[in-house]
Amino acid sequence: MKKILISAAVTAFGMVSAQKNTLLLGGNIGYNSDNTSISGEKSKTESFSFTPTVGYQLSDHWTVGINSSITSGKRPADFGTLKENGFAIGPFVRYAMPLSQTFAVYGDLGAGYQNMRNTYTVASVSSERKLNGFYTSFTPALFINFKNGFGLNFNIGGIRYAYLKEDGADFKNNKFSLSFGKEVGVGISKNFGLK
């Protein structure tokens, strides 16, 4: 079996050496593709995510704001195809600690509402499942400042708990993820001063 995994964090705007009374704007874009072939049978799994962020930096250390995410994926499942579309939105708080004028470490703690719509298709027959719930997460990261408010963010995973319940059914899903060292995020950052 030959497996190819392509994972890319295309861009991320986020923390820029937190400065009091500045605006934080940004987002991450990610894409994953996994192609598998077993005895001539091919299957493909794809997923896409976009996570815009807006925040206000209260001080040199503290930032508060709103995180959101839009996800979409498609994978083979039991003689058919499963499409998953998700949305999440909620507040976050960030604490940053400058190590020098160039480096800083920070942690984001967030929570909020999430929903997901799953569509399972076999031949031309489709069935849909809608789920709603909440999430909470913590992500530590490193920031490298260049100049003029531009820099790079790096993280190697985090902690996340998510709960989903299906509308009108007794299906529930609890998911806990500890992804330190299992994923890498790299992004470009920019912050804006407010008059």
Side-chain angles (χ1 to χ4, degrees):
M1 170 173 65
K2 185 176 179 182
K3 245 179 159 181
I4 298 172
L5 175 62
I6 300 170
S7 179
V10 177
T11 183
F13 292 7
M15 159 86 182
V16 175
S17 188
Q19 299 167 7
K20 187 175 179 178
N21 298 324
T22 58
L23 184 65
L24 169 78
L25 294 176
N28 295 333
I29 297 174
Y31 175 75
N32 290 311
S33 177
D34 185 353
N35 294 299
T36 303
S37 177
I38 300 173
S39 302
E41 299 259 341
K42 295 182 179 181
S43 68
K44 183 175 184 177
T45 300
E46 291 182 293
S47 65
F48 172 80
S49 64
F50 174 55
T51 56
T53 299
V54 63
Y56 180 73
Q57 295 177 196
L58 301 169
S59 71
D60 290 345
H61 297 286
W62 292 99
T63 302
V64 295
I66 300 290
N67 273 330
S68 60
S69 69
I70 299 165
T71 58
S72 181
K74 181 179 175 182
R75 62 185 171 90
D78 298 331
F79 309 108
T81 303
L82 179 63
K83 291 183 182 178
E84 299 174 307
N85 294 300
F87 174 75
I89 188 166
F92 75 92
V93 62
R94 174 177 292 180
Y95 182 79
M97 177 60 66
L99 303 175
S100 68
Q101 287 190 339
T102 305
F103 296 99
V105 292
Y106 66 90
D108 280 357
L109 179 63
Y113 165 79
Q114 66 175 353
N115 74 20
M116 182 171 284
R117 187 179 75 232
N118 295 340
T119 306
Y120 178 62
T121 305
V122 176
S124 60
V125 179
S126 295
S127 62
E128 190 172 273
R129 170 187 282 177
K130 293 181 182 178
L131 305 104
N132 292 289
F134 66 90
Y135 71 91
T136 183
S137 64
F138 174 72
T139 306
L142 172 69
F143 170 71
I144 302 174
N145 187 27
F146 290 117
K147 67 180 201 174
N148 299 326
F150 283 98
L152 292 176
N153 300 308
F154 296 93
N155 75 67
I156 56 167
I159 300 171
R160 182 179 173 92
Y161 172 76
Y163 170 83
L164 287 167
K165 182 182 183 314
E166 184 176 358
D167 291 351
D170 195 26
F171 176 83
K172 297 176 185 175
N173 178 263
N174 292 285
K175 184 175 183 180
F176 176 78
S177 303
L178 183 64
S179 60
F180 292 109
K182 294 182 180 179
E183 57 186 51
V184 176
V186 179
I188 299 169
S189 300
K190 173 69 175 157
N191 82 320
F192 302 89
L194 299 176
K195 301 291 182 183

